[in-house]
PDB file of all heavy atoms in Angstrom:
ATOM      1  N   ASP J 425      89.738  66.127  75.056  1.00 53.00           N
ATOM      2  CA  ASP J 425      89.988  65.646  76.442  1.00 53.00           C
ATOM      3  C   ASP J 425      90.906  64.558  76.517  1.00 53.00           C
ATOM      4  O   ASP J 425      91.771  64.476  77.418  1.00 53.00           O
ATOM      5  CB  ASP J 425      88.733  65.317  77.047  1.00 53.00           C
ATOM      6  CG  ASP J 425      87.795  66.561  77.312  1.00 53.00           C
ATOM      7  OD1 ASP J 425      88.400  67.753  77.277  1.00 53.00           O
ATOM      8  OD2 ASP J 425      86.588  66.465  77.452  1.00 53.00           O
ATOM      9  N   ARG J 426      90.812  63.609  75.530  1.00 53.00           N
ATOM     10  CA  ARG J 426      91.649  62.480  75.563  1.00 53.00           C
ATOM     11  C   ARG J 426      93.137  62.780  75.392  1.00 53.00           C
ATOM     12  O   ARG J 426      93.946  62.248  75.951  1.00 53.00           O
ATOM     13  CB  ARG J 426      91.201  61.495  74.591  1.00 53.00           C
ATOM     14  CG  ARG J 426      92.022  60.191  74.491  1.00 53.00           C
ATOM     15  CD  ARG J 426      91.391  59.101  73.700  1.00 53.00           C
ATOM     16  NE  ARG J 426      91.342  59.400  72.226  1.00 53.00           N
ATOM     17  CZ  ARG J 426      90.280  59.792  71.596  1.00 53.00           C
ATOM     18  NH1 ARG J 426      89.135  59.864  72.170  1.00 53.00           N
ATOM     19  NH2 ARG J 426      90.365  60.106  70.339  1.00 53.00           N
ATOM     20  N   TRP J 427      93.428  63.808  74.458  1.00 49.00           N
ATOM     21  CA  TRP J 427      94.828  64.188  74.177  1.00 49.00           C
ATOM     22  C   TRP J 427      95.346  65.178  75.180  1.00 49.00           C
ATOM     23  O   TRP J 427      96.516  65.291  75.355  1.00 49.00           O
ATOM     24  CB  TRP J 427      94.901  64.809  72.745  1.00 49.00           C
ATOM     25  CG  TRP J 427      94.767  63.752  71.682  1.00 49.00           C
ATOM     26  CD1 TRP J 427      93.684  63.454  70.928  1.00 49.00           C
ATOM     27  CD2 TRP J 427      95.876  62.881  71.293  1.00 49.00           C
ATOM     28  NE1 TRP J 427      94.089  62.430  70.093  1.00 49.00           N
ATOM     29  CE2 TRP J 427      95.326  62.054  70.184  1.00 49.00           C
ATOM     30  CE3 TRP J 427      97.195  62.702  71.693  1.00 49.00           C
ATOM     31  CZ2 TRP J 427      96.216  61.134  69.574  1.00 49.00           C
ATOM     32  CZ3 TRP J 427      97.917  61.819  71.094  1.00 49.00           C
ATOM     33  CH2 TRP J 427      97.411  60.962  70.063  1.00 49.00           C
ATOM     34  N   PHE J 428      94.539  65.966  75.780  1.00 50.00           N
ATOM     35  CA  PHE J 428      95.053  67.000  76.692  1.00 50.00           C
ATOM     36  C   PHE J 428      94.761  66.676  78.163  1.00 50.00           C
ATOM     37  O   PHE J 428      94.467  67.617  78.957  1.00 50.00           O
ATOM     38  CB  PHE J 428      94.493  68.348  76.326  1.00 50.00           C
ATOM     39  CG  PHE J 428      94.986  68.879  75.052  1.00 50.00           C
ATOM     40  CD1 PHE J 428      94.159  68.841  73.934  1.00 50.00           C
ATOM     41  CD2 PHE J 428      96.207  69.307  74.861  1.00 50.00           C
ATOM     42  CE1 PHE J 428      94.584  69.336  72.712  1.00 50.00           C
ATOM     43  CE2 PHE J 428      96.754  69.693  73.673  1.00 50.00           C
ATOM     44  CZ  PHE J 428      95.962  69.752  72.500  1.00 50.00           C
ATOM     45  N   GLY J 429      94.725  65.486  78.500  1.00 51.00           N
ATOM     46  CA  GLY J 429      94.560  65.104  79.838  1.00 51.00           C
ATOM     47  C   GLY J 429      93.167  64.813  80.389  1.00 51.00           C
ATOM     48  O   GLY J 429      92.935  64.564  81.540  1.00 51.00           O
ATOM     49  N   GLY J 430      92.209  64.775  79.531  1.00 50.00           N
ATOM     50  CA  GLY J 430      90.846  64.544  79.914  1.00 50.00           C
ATOM     51  C   GLY J 430      90.643  63.031  79.997  1.00 50.00           C
ATOM     52  O   GLY J 430      91.508  62.245  79.811  1.00 50.00           O
ATOM     53  N   SER J 431      89.357  62.596  80.279  1.00 49.00           N
ATOM     54  CA  SER J 431      88.987  61.204  80.485  1.00 49.00           C
ATOM     55  C   SER J 431      88.981  60.549  79.045  1.00 49.00           C
ATOM     56  O   SER J 431      88.537  61.128  78.054  1.00 49.00           O
ATOM     57  CB  SER J 431      87.734  61.170  81.197  1.00 49.00           C
ATOM     58  OG  SER J 431      87.287  59.811  81.199  1.00 49.00           O
ATOM     59  N   ASN J 432      89.191  59.247  79.090  1.00 49.00           N
ATOM     60  CA  ASN J 432      89.100  58.438  77.869  1.00 49.00           C
ATOM     61  C   ASN J 432      87.800  57.709  77.698  1.00 49.00           C
ATOM     62  O   ASN J 432      87.437  57.165  76.687  1.00 49.00           O
ATOM     63  CB  ASN J 432      90.285  57.319  77.828  1.00 49.00           C
ATOM     64  CG  ASN J 432      91.603  58.003  77.689  1.00 49.00           C
ATOM     65  OD1 ASN J 432      91.761  59.055  77.072  1.00 49.00           O
ATOM     66  ND2 ASN J 432      92.565  57.374  78.248  1.00 49.00           N
ATOM     67  N   THR J 433      87.002  57.828  78.709  1.00 49.00           N
ATOM     68  CA  THR J 433      85.723  57.181  78.725  1.00 49.00           C
ATOM     69  C   THR J 433      84.696  57.813  77.787  1.00 49.00           C
ATOM     70  O   THR J 433      84.504  59.067  78.027  1.00 49.00           O
ATOM     71  CB  THR J 433      85.149  57.012  80.111  1.00 49.00           C
ATOM     72  OG1 THR J 433      86.146  56.470  80.955  1.00 49.00           O
ATOM     73  CG2 THR J 433      83.911  56.242  80.115  1.00 49.00           C
ATOM     74  N   ARG J 434      84.064  57.161  76.901  1.00 49.00           N
ATOM     75  CA  ARG J 434      83.085  57.743  76.065  1.00 49.00           C
ATOM     76  C   ARG J 434      81.739  57.691  76.687  1.00 49.00           C
ATOM     77  O   ARG J 434      81.288  56.627  77.141  1.00 49.00           O
ATOM     78  CB  ARG J 434      83.129  57.020  74.723  1.00 49.00           C
ATOM     79  CG  ARG J 434      84.333  57.021  73.895  1.00 49.00           C
ATOM     80  CD  ARG J 434      84.315  56.247  72.657  1.00 49.00           C
ATOM     81  NE  ARG J 434      83.230  56.740  71.738  1.00 49.00           N
ATOM     82  CZ  ARG J 434      83.482  57.712  70.833  1.00 49.00           C
ATOM     83  NH1 ARG J 434      84.667  58.289  70.699  1.00 49.00           N
ATOM     84  NH2 ARG J 434      82.440  58.149  70.046  1.00 49.00           N
ATOM     85  N   HIS J 435      81.035  58.846  76.825  1.00 48.00           N
ATOM     86  CA  HIS J 435      79.714  58.830  77.355  1.00 48.00           C
ATOM     87  C   HIS J 435      78.947  59.902  76.814  1.00 48.00           C
ATOM     88  O   HIS J 435      79.471  60.922  76.195  1.00 48.00           O
ATOM     89  CB  HIS J 435      79.872  59.009  78.917  1.00 48.00           C
ATOM     90  CG  HIS J 435      80.528  60.212  79.286  1.00 48.00           C
ATOM     91  ND1 HIS J 435      79.907  61.470  79.393  1.00 48.00           N
ATOM     92  CD2 HIS J 435      81.901  60.388  79.667  1.00 48.00           C
ATOM     93  CE1 HIS J 435      80.839  62.311  79.683  1.00 48.00           C
ATOM     94  NE2 HIS J 435      82.004  61.745  79.924  1.00 48.00           N
ATOM     95  N   GLU J 436      77.725  59.903  76.849  1.00 51.00           N
ATOM     96  CA  GLU J 436      76.732  60.948  76.340  1.00 51.00           C
ATOM     97  C   GLU J 436      76.662  62.038  77.376  1.00 51.00           C
ATOM     98  O   GLU J 436      76.712  61.824  78.492  1.00 51.00           O
ATOM     99  CB  GLU J 436      75.364  60.261  76.042  1.00 51.00           C
ATOM    100  CG  GLU J 436      75.421  59.176  75.013  1.00 51.00           C
ATOM    101  CD  GLU J 436      75.796  59.731  73.615  1.00 51.00           C
ATOM    102  OE1 GLU J 436      75.560  60.873  73.352  1.00 51.00           O
ATOM    103  OE2 GLU J 436      76.397  58.957  72.847  1.00 51.00           O
ATOM    104  N   GLN J 437      76.590  63.271  76.759  1.00 52.00           N
ATOM    105  CA  GLN J 437      76.512  64.489  77.668  1.00 52.00           C
ATOM    106  C   GLN J 437      75.149  64.564  78.213  1.00 52.00           C
ATOM    107  O   GLN J 437      74.154  64.555  77.453  1.00 52.00           O
ATOM    108  CB  GLN J 437      76.812  65.736  76.857  1.00 52.00           C
ATOM    109  CG  GLN J 437      76.810  66.965  77.620  1.00 52.00           C
ATOM    110  CD  GLN J 437      77.260  68.191  76.826  1.00 52.00           C
ATOM    111  OE1 GLN J 437      77.492  68.054  75.635  1.00 52.00           O
ATOM    112  NE2 GLN J 437      77.350  69.364  77.495  1.00 52.00           N
ATOM    113  N   GLN J 438      75.019  64.702  79.456  1.00 55.00           N
ATOM    114  CA  GLN J 438      73.664  64.699  80.118  1.00 55.00           C
ATOM    115  C   GLN J 438      73.207  66.155  80.222  1.00 55.00           C
ATOM    116  O   GLN J 438      74.105  67.088  80.490  1.00 55.00           O
ATOM    117  CB  GLN J 438      73.827  64.137  81.567  1.00 55.00           C
ATOM    118  CG  GLN J 438      74.348  62.723  81.641  1.00 55.00           C
ATOM    119  CD  GLN J 438      73.298  61.717  81.007  1.00 55.00           C
ATOM    120  OE1 GLN J 438      72.126  62.083  81.004  1.00 55.00           O
ATOM    121  NE2 GLN J 438      73.760  60.633  80.479  1.00 55.00           N
ATOM    122  N   PRO J 439      72.048  66.372  80.026  1.00 61.00           N
ATOM    123  CA  PRO J 439      71.482  67.811  80.213  1.00 61.00           C
ATOM    124  C   PRO J 439      71.601  68.260  81.604  1.00 61.00           C
ATOM    125  O   PRO J 439      71.368  67.526  82.561  1.00 61.00           O
ATOM    126  CB  PRO J 439      70.027  67.654  79.775  1.00 61.00           C
ATOM    127  CG  PRO J 439      69.679  66.160  80.010  1.00 61.00           C
ATOM    128  CD  PRO J 439      70.929  65.412  79.741  1.00 61.00           C
ATOM    129  N   VAL J 440      71.900  69.554  81.705  1.00 61.00           N
ATOM    130  CA  VAL J 440      72.036  70.221  82.977  1.00 61.00           C
ATOM    131  C   VAL J 440      70.741  70.807  83.463  1.00 61.00           C
ATOM    132  O   VAL J 440      70.204  71.585  82.762  1.00 61.00           O
ATOM    133  CB  VAL J 440      73.180  71.272  82.996  1.00 61.00           C
ATOM    134  CG1 VAL J 440      73.335  71.922  84.356  1.00 61.00           C
ATOM    135  CG2 VAL J 440      74.407  70.633  82.445  1.00 61.00           C
ATOM    136  N   SER J 441      70.243  70.369  84.688  1.00 77.00           N
ATOM    137  CA  SER J 441      69.051  70.939  85.135  1.00 77.00           C
ATOM    138  C   SER J 441      69.234  72.338  85.716  1.00 77.00           C
ATOM    139  O   SER J 441      70.339  72.802  86.066  1.00 77.00           O
ATOM    140  CB  SER J 441      68.429  69.980  86.129  1.00 77.00           C
ATOM    141  OG  SER J 441      69.288  69.857  87.310  1.00 77.00           O
ATOM    142  N   THR J 442      68.118  73.034  86.056  1.00 83.00           N
ATOM    143  CA  THR J 442      68.198  74.353  86.633  1.00 83.00           C
ATOM    144  C   THR J 442      68.762  74.322  88.091  1.00 83.00           C
ATOM    145  O   THR J 442      69.501  75.176  88.466  1.00 83.00           O
ATOM    146  CB  THR J 442      66.771  74.975  86.756  1.00 83.00           C
ATOM    147  OG1 THR J 442      66.262  74.969  85.380  1.00 83.00           O
ATOM    148  CG2 THR J 442      66.767  76.355  87.168  1.00 83.00           C
ATOM    149  N   LYS J 443      68.494  73.231  88.754  1.00 79.00           N
ATOM    150  CA  LYS J 443      69.006  73.057  90.140  1.00 79.00           C
ATOM    151  C   LYS J 443      70.477  72.856  90.116  1.00 79.00           C
ATOM    152  O   LYS J 443      71.218  73.414  90.968  1.00 79.00           O
ATOM    153  CB  LYS J 443      68.221  71.927  90.821  1.00 79.00           C
ATOM    154  CG  LYS J 443      68.659  71.639  92.267  1.00 79.00           C
ATOM    155  CD  LYS J 443      67.944  70.456  92.895  1.00 79.00           C
ATOM    156  CE  LYS J 443      68.366  70.463  94.377  1.00 79.00           C
ATOM    157  NZ  LYS J 443      67.682  69.287  94.973  1.00 79.00           N
ATOM    158  N   GLN J 444      70.927  72.105  89.176  1.00 81.00           N
ATOM    159  CA  GLN J 444      72.361  71.865  89.127  1.00 81.00           C
ATOM    160  C   GLN J 444      73.188  73.090  88.724  1.00 81.00           C
ATOM    161  O   GLN J 444      74.246  73.355  89.222  1.00 81.00           O
ATOM    162  CB  GLN J 444      72.733  70.821  88.072  1.00 81.00           C
ATOM    163  CG  GLN J 444      72.266  69.360  88.464  1.00 81.00           C
ATOM    164  CD  GLN J 444      72.480  68.277  87.395  1.00 81.00           C
ATOM    165  OE1 GLN J 444      72.559  68.700  86.305  1.00 81.00           O
ATOM    166  NE2 GLN J 444      72.452  67.125  87.848  1.00 81.00           N
ATOM    167  N   ARG J 445      72.516  73.863  87.759  1.00 82.00           N
ATOM    168  CA  ARG J 445      73.131  75.138  87.386  1.00 82.00           C
ATOM    169  C   ARG J 445      73.222  76.124  88.560  1.00 82.00           C
ATOM    170  O   ARG J 445      74.207  76.875  88.669  1.00 82.00           O
ATOM    171  CB  ARG J 445      72.326  75.784  86.136  1.00 82.00           C
ATOM    172  CG  ARG J 445      72.979  77.016  85.619  1.00 82.00           C
ATOM    173  CD  ARG J 445      72.191  77.517  84.387  1.00 82.00           C
ATOM    174  NE  ARG J 445      72.007  76.589  83.413  1.00 82.00           N
ATOM    175  CZ  ARG J 445      70.856  75.965  83.201  1.00 82.00           C
ATOM    176  NH1 ARG J 445      69.843  76.213  83.872  1.00 82.00           N
ATOM    177  NH2 ARG J 445      70.823  75.099  82.071  1.00 82.00           N
ATOM    178  N   GLN J 446      72.148  76.211  89.290  1.00 82.00           N
ATOM    179  CA  GLN J 446      72.138  77.055  90.515  1.00 82.00           C
ATOM    180  C   GLN J 446      73.147  76.637  91.556  1.00 82.00           C
ATOM    181  O   GLN J 446      73.806  77.494  92.161  1.00 82.00           O
ATOM    182  CB  GLN J 446      70.687  77.017  91.161  1.00 82.00           C
ATOM    183  CG  GLN J 446      70.580  78.017  92.348  1.00 82.00           C
ATOM    184  CD  GLN J 446      69.163  77.954  92.875  1.00 82.00           C
ATOM    185  OE1 GLN J 446      68.304  77.238  92.362  1.00 82.00           O
ATOM    186  NE2 GLN J 446      68.953  78.779  93.896  1.00 82.00           N
ATOM    187  N   GLN J 447      73.282  75.290  91.785  1.00 82.00           N
ATOM    188  CA  GLN J 447      74.309  74.837  92.613  1.00 82.00           C
ATOM    189  C   GLN J 447      75.721  75.188  92.159  1.00 82.00           C
ATOM    190  O   GLN J 447      76.572  75.472  92.984  1.00 82.00           O
ATOM    191  CB  GLN J 447      74.202  73.333  92.834  1.00 82.00           C
ATOM    192  CG  GLN J 447      72.970  72.903  93.546  1.00 82.00           C
ATOM    193  CD  GLN J 447      72.771  71.367  93.601  1.00 82.00           C
ATOM    194  OE1 GLN J 447      73.567  70.573  93.030  1.00 82.00           O
ATOM    195  NE2 GLN J 447      71.823  70.878  94.491  1.00 82.00           N
ATOM    196  N   GLU J 448      75.871  75.094  90.869  1.00 84.00           N
ATOM    197  CA  GLU J 448      77.239  75.399  90.382  1.00 84.00           C
ATOM    198  C   GLU J 448      77.511  76.874  90.540  1.00 84.00           C
ATOM    199  O   GLU J 448      78.622  77.232  90.911  1.00 84.00           O
ATOM    200  CB  GLU J 448      77.239  75.105  88.802  1.00 84.00           C
ATOM    201  CG  GLU J 448      78.566  75.448  88.078  1.00 84.00           C
ATOM    202  CD  GLU J 448      79.647  74.426  88.621  1.00 84.00           C
ATOM    203  OE1 GLU J 448      79.435  73.396  89.230  1.00 84.00           O
ATOM    204  OE2 GLU J 448      80.881  74.829  88.333  1.00 84.00           O
ATOM    205  N   GLN J 449      76.584  77.785  90.340  1.00 85.00           N
ATOM    206  CA  GLN J 449      76.746  79.091  90.557  1.00 85.00           C
ATOM    207  C   GLN J 449      77.133  79.467  91.967  1.00 85.00           C
ATOM    208  O   GLN J 449      77.874  80.302  92.395  1.00 85.00           O
ATOM    209  CB  GLN J 449      75.568  79.909  90.134  1.00 85.00           C
ATOM    210  CG  GLN J 449      75.299  79.915  88.685  1.00 85.00           C
ATOM    211  CD  GLN J 449      74.025  80.688  88.201  1.00 85.00           C
ATOM    212  OE1 GLN J 449      73.296  81.041  88.995  1.00 85.00           O
ATOM    213  NE2 GLN J 449      73.804  80.836  86.882  1.00 85.00           N
ATOM    214  N   GLU J 450      76.363  78.724  93.002  1.00 84.00           N
ATOM    215  CA  GLU J 450      76.529  78.973  94.373  1.00 84.00           C
ATOM    216  C   GLU J 450      78.025  78.508  94.693  1.00 84.00           C
ATOM    217  O   GLU J 450      78.650  79.170  95.610  1.00 84.00           O
ATOM    218  CB  GLU J 450      75.539  78.258  95.155  1.00 84.00           C
ATOM    219  CG  GLU J 450      74.155  78.790  95.033  1.00 84.00           C
ATOM    220  CD  GLU J 450      73.156  77.935  95.871  1.00 84.00           C
ATOM    221  OE1 GLU J 450      73.492  76.839  96.355  1.00 84.00           O
ATOM    222  OE2 GLU J 450      72.018  78.346  95.880  1.00 84.00           O
TER     223      GLU J 450
END
Side-chain angles (χ1 to χ4, degrees):
D425 290 339
R426 183 169 65 254
W427 284 100
F428 294 107
S431 174
N432 293 330
T433 307
R434 300 175 61 87
H435 57 81
E436 297 296 332
Q437 185 176 2
Q438 299 294 334
V440 180
S441 63
T442 305
K443 184 177 181 180
Q444 291 176 339
R445 189 180 297 107
Q446 184 178 1
Q447 292 176 350
E448 181 67 18
Q449 292 178 354
E450 292 177 354

